[in-house]
Amino acid sequence: MLTWRSVEEWYGQLCNAAHASAQQFEGKSVGVARRIAAEQRIRNLNERTFLNNLTPTTGSHHLRLEEFWHLLDVTGAKHPLHVVARQRSQLVAPVPDPEAVSMSALFGAFSLRKREITETQELVYSVLERKQPFSSIAARESLLREVYEDFCESISILLKLQTITPNLKNVESRIWQQNAAMRLYHCTQAVSEFAVHHSNELIHDSLLPANRVQRLRSPEESGRLSLRHFLQLLEKDSGGRLLEALLESLGFKSYPLPPLTWQPTHSNLMDSYSDLEQRQADTISRIRGALDDGVITVDELKDIRQELEEEYQAEVTLIMSLPVIHSMSEP
């Protein structure tokens, strides 16, 4: 299962991810609140209210879109964005600054990426070797998340490699060069435009009351939209503009997840996974070779991208092929 079964479940996962990201910041959630206040990002921010909104177990308080956005911008957290994008079948990766990309930085990123891939391989191997069902859907979800985030990080390295590829136009993001207020406006303006174009539909489907839809015509008011309602709008947005605007405003770009068309190469899953490990090792060697040369061609970049996509499909398919023992709390 690559997505959550309802907006409520998706929202719960996103709240947990946002809270966990805040707790990893210096000073934890209080540190995030005080940084937002010190930089005057949100007018008249009430620290206690913000902390209540951020706490996943506080059912009567909900994060607003602007609070969620500033939390991500201040902490630089990726995991909440992964939770958002994965539900929409998208990969996410930060847009690299060409001036900040150096070979030494790429070597460091590659070394870290190699270690993380190895750790995920060991997790997948241990599951296949046991030949036992997952103890719960959550256990399988955890491993699928590792695979998804590995893929996102690999795409991030490819984007950085792309900056040193001759005769290839690099991904650019002028929005990222603007201040926080303008970047948030880019996101909330997209929400306002969506509300204007889909007002009748939103009211008819009872997603929002008519007076709330009317207020969303203002980008400032759109920032006060609850995070839960924002996710509901994302679900309605078949064109993906809202997700694109959110990611652009935070310096990220999205790419469609490849369809799961991979088929096991052997009837024995362990043999199929051995083949996969070998292919992953070959891909890592190709990336390392490109870094050693200091140059990568357009064709090499395309080939590595295709190999990464096939490896992602293979890992997900293998994980999904194993059954789950459903617990009482999981339908």
Side-chain angles (χ1 to χ4, degrees), residues 57-277:
T57 55
T58 310
S60 60
H61 295 76
H62 305 285
L63 268 182
R64 298 179 308 193
L65 175 58
E66 64 178 356
E67 292 173 330
F68 177 69
W69 190 92
H70 284 298
L71 182 152
L72 295 181
D73 196 47
V74 164
T75 63
K78 295 180 184 178
H79 179 48
L81 285 180
H82 289 158
V83 173
V84 173
R86 181 174 157 190
Q87 182 74 4
R88 305 305 296 155
S89 300
Q90 296 287 311
L91 293 161
V92 290
V95 177
D97 178 359
E99 296 181 1
V101 175
S102 65
M103 292 305 297
S104 59
L106 275 173
F107 270 115
F110 172 75
S111 298
L112 177 61
R113 184 87 293 278
K114 186 177 178 181
R115 288 198 302 272
E116 291 173 342
I117 288 175
T118 300
E119 290 172 0
T120 303
Q121 285 177 337
E122 291 173 352
L123 286 172
V124 175
Y125 183 85
S126 66
V127 170
L128 294 175
E129 189 177 36
R130 288 201 312 266
K131 297 180 181 179
Q132 294 178 350
F134 285 96
S135 59
S136 65
I137 291 176
R140 186 170 68 184
E141 275 289 306
S142 177
L143 187 51
L144 286 172
R145 180 186 128 186
E146 293 283 348
V147 172
Y148 170 82
E149 294 189 352
D150 275 352
F151 193 13
C152 288
E153 292 302 319
S154 294
I155 294 300
S156 176
I157 287 184
L158 279 192
L159 289 181
K160 292 176 181 177
L161 279 172
Q162 185 172 311
T163 64
I164 60 172
T165 303
N167 304 318
L168 188 62
K169 184 179 180 180
N170 292 316
V171 177
E172 295 181 356
S173 178
R174 294 181 181 178
I175 298 167
W176 179 239
Q177 299 170 359
Q178 299 174 350
N179 62 34
M182 290 302 299
R183 289 186 288 112
L184 174 60
Y185 180 83
H186 178 75
C187 176
T188 56
Q189 184 182 37
V191 174
S192 295
E193 292 172 353
F194 183 84
V196 169
H197 294 148
H198 300 271
S199 57
N200 292 335
E201 183 181 350
L202 295 175
I203 296 169
H204 179 269
D205 294 346
S206 300
L207 284 182
L208 292 168
N211 63 340
R212 191 75 175 95
V213 173
Q214 183 66 26
R215 291 203 303 271
L216 288 181
R217 293 174 180 269
S218 160
E220 184 177 358
E221 188 66 29
S222 293
R224 300 190 183 101
L225 184 69
S226 74
L227 186 56
R228 174 187 277 111
H229 282 143
F230 178 65
L231 294 188
Q232 290 177 323
L233 297 188
L234 286 181
E235 282 278 282
K236 299 289 289 184
D237 182 21
S238 57
R241 176 56 192 151
L242 292 180
L243 176 60
E244 181 182 41
L246 171 66
L247 295 173
E248 285 177 344
S249 68
L250 291 164
F252 285 75
K253 185 171 178 58
S254 65
Y255 302 89
L257 272 174
L260 299 179
T261 58
W262 181 84
Q263 296 295 324
T265 52
H266 303 277
S267 57
N268 184 289
L269 288 180
M270 291 301 297
D271 291 340
S272 295
Y273 191 64
S274 294
D275 288 351
L276 172 61
E277 285 187 307

Side-chain angles (χ1 to χ4, degrees), residues 284-303:
I284 289 173
S285 294
R286 294 189 66 175
I287 296 175
R288 177 58 191 248
L291 290 174
D292 287 340
D293 296 341
V295 176
I296 183 170
T297 67
V298 174
D299 288 341
E300 284 177 325
L301 203 63
K302 289 180 179 178
D303 288 346

Side-chain angles (χ1 to χ4, degrees), residues 40-59:
Q40 300 181 332
R41 288 169 169 257
I42 298 178
R43 189 182 308 162
N44 300 322
L45 177 71
N46 184 292
E47 181 178 308
R48 182 180 295 276
T49 300
F50 174 79
L51 295 177
N52 284 336
N53 292 349
L54 183 57
T55 304
T57 55
T58 310

